[in-house]
Amino acid sequence: MAVDLKMSSPPVQIGKELELVRRYVLLGIVNQILDHDIRIVGATATKLPRLYESMMRGLQDRVLLELAAMRRQFRDNGIGVEKEQRSASGLSAAYSCMGYKHSFSMPWSFVKAESERLLKSYLTK
């Protein structure tokens, strides 16, 4: 029986894993946005600051719960986010899946639109 010792090329990024990692990175951005907005609401003179802050903290709790569940799923499936990098043009991330390294990038306009879409999805659940 002959054994093929050629190096195999890494598999193409599987859509499911790419989407999971992309959502994970976007949820991290959403969490930072909520942190920022909670500080702003607490520092400005609004009529109902505690209500607004409470609503945003509720959203943030849901985001954090999903992030924790995703980290468990990553661990179970051998996925690891290795690096996130911000630049003037956008956000890029490197991750490993099934022992192979992959990366992707998103322009800031996309990150902003997707972050808004994710936040809206939490409001309609």
Side-chain angles (χ1 to χ4, degrees), residues 4-16:
D4 187 7
L5 296 176
K6 292 180 190 172
M7 295 288 290
S8 64
S9 61
V12 175
Q13 293 184 79
I14 300 171
K16 178 184 170 192

Side-chain angles (χ1 to χ4, degrees), residues 18 22 85 87 89-94 103-108 110-111:
L18 175 60
R22 189 180 72 133
Q85 187 170 350
S87 68
S89 61
L91 176 67
S92 61
S103 63
F104 65 93
S105 61
M106 302 177 283
W108 286 118
F110 179 80
V111 171

Side-chain angles (χ1 to χ4, degrees), residues 35-71:
D35 268 344
H36 173 268
D37 289 354
I38 288 167
R39 283 193 310 272
I40 296 297
V41 165
T44 58
T46 60
K47 299 287 184 187
L48 303 170
R50 289 190 312 217
L51 172 65
Y52 300 140
E53 185 177 338
S54 173
M55 290 171 55
M56 284 190 281
R57 286 198 188 281
L59 284 171
Q60 189 175 42
D61 288 346
R62 292 172 67 186
V63 168
L64 291 171
L65 284 172
E66 185 173 353
L67 283 168
M70 291 181 90
R71 281 191 290 274

